Amino acid sequence: RTENVAVDAAYAAQRPGLATGRYVRVSISDTGAGMPPEVVAKAFEPFFTTKEVGKGTGLGLSMVFGFVKQSGGHVGIYSEVGEGTTVTMLLPADPNERVEEQRARAPSAERGGAETVLVVEDDPAVRQVTVSFLESLGYVTLEAGTAAEGGRVLDANPRVDALLTDVILPGGADGAAMARRAKESHPDLKVLFMSGYTQDVVMRNGRLEEGVVLLRKPFTRRQLADKLRAVIDGTDAGE
């Protein structure tokens, strides 16, 4: 998948060495065995490989890493064991584009709200950044790290307006299953899913149903603001 993205200061702060500006995001996904965190952490190291001796040099991804960095971009891996892997490259967009064209596409001010939002995300760092974004936009936030914990928070807080949940969660229940159960007790609850995978990959794997709304990770504060506001207002029916 390819798409144009704008990197702001908050997004760049999550990716050391990445500058603000306009980029082309190229994502390559598979449906393989996935990689555990300790493998992801070493995947770009030269000569690191999980293949048998003589089956791989471990230089492929390190060369990709070097090319992207030399181009002024960024590359990262999102992977879930048993689900697959997505490698995402951010490459700088055309620096010669006219300033008038950039201004013409300048977005309007970010729209926040005062609703209560439950964030369910198992990665503490991602959850912290997401909650920070939401609170800076005026939302009241609650948080949980698993589907079971999220269910308990919902039971204790009947006035939750929106659920922002990762698709894949630990503990045997995913975000979609939790959202379905939540809708039974909170019929007016608005739901926004988030994932490191693109929507077509998540749909193909049967994790989500048609018509749901997905926010791609990592995301900027503006992307979160726009997508969540659209879901709450009922103006976004899917990616």
Side-chain angles (χ1 to χ4, degrees):
R1 178 167 182 159
T2 59
E3 54 198 324
N4 293 310
V5 297
V7 172
D8 60 15
Y11 186 107
Q14 303 173 55
R15 300 291 181 271
L18 180 63
T20 58
R22 295 174 49 255
Y23 292 82
V24 174
R25 180 162 64 185
V26 182
S27 303
I28 303 95
S29 300
D30 68 28
T31 55
M35 294 182 284
E38 61 270 19
V39 173
V40 172
K42 296 182 178 181
F44 291 117
E45 293 181 4
F47 304 109
F48 174 80
T49 179
T50 57
K51 297 179 180 179
E52 300 175 5
V53 176
K55 299 293 185 179
T57 63
L59 291 175
L61 282 179
S62 66
M63 292 175 66
V64 171
F65 181 87
F67 165 76
V68 174
K69 286 296 184 180
Q70 289 172 15
S71 301
H74 183 273
V75 59
I77 297 176
Y78 177 83
S79 188
E80 297 280 355
V81 174
E83 298 292 335
T85 298
T86 293
V87 177
T88 298
M89 296 176 289
L90 288 171
L91 300 172
D94 182 7
N96 299 316
E97 183 182 31
R98 292 185 301 174
V99 174
E100 291 80 4
E101 294 177 352
Q102 295 181 31
R103 289 174 177 169
R105 289 198 301 270
S108 57
E110 295 172 350
R111 293 182 57 215
E115 290 87 353
T116 298
V117 182
L118 169 61
V119 179
V120 184
E121 165 62 57
D122 59 299
D123 186 320
V126 175
R127 188 170 67 247
Q128 180 181 12
V129 169
T130 303
V131 168
S132 176
F133 282 171
L134 291 172
E135 292 180 345
S136 71
L137 291 165
Y139 293 102
V140 177
T141 61
L142 301 169
E143 55 183 288
T146 66
E149 185 180 348
R152 290 193 292 270
V153 173
L154 282 168
D155 290 340
N157 296 274
R159 295 180 64 89
V160 174
D161 299 292
L163 170 65
L164 173 61
T165 178
D166 194 7
V167 174
I168 301 174
L169 293 167
D174 61 18
M178 178 186 62
R180 286 193 294 270
R181 288 196 298 270
K183 280 282 192 176
E184 295 175 359
S185 57
H186 297 68
D188 297 325
L189 184 71
K190 305 296 184 179
V191 180
L192 173 59
F193 293 99
M194 53 184 172
S195 177
Y197 297 118
T198 59
Q199 183 148 348
D200 52 346
V201 171
V202 175
M203 300 291 290
R204 188 166 60 245
N205 287 352
R207 285 284 183 173
L208 295 179
E209 299 174 355
E210 292 287 345
V212 301
V213 185
L214 182 72
L215 177 65
R216 173 80 184 279
K217 295 191 294 185
F219 45 80
T220 66
R221 191 177 79 159
R222 168 168 294 283
Q223 290 170 334
L224 173 59
D226 292 347
K227 187 70 78 170
L228 179 60
R229 194 68 254 164
V231 167
I232 292 176
D233 294 341
T235 59
D236 193 333
E239 187 179 54

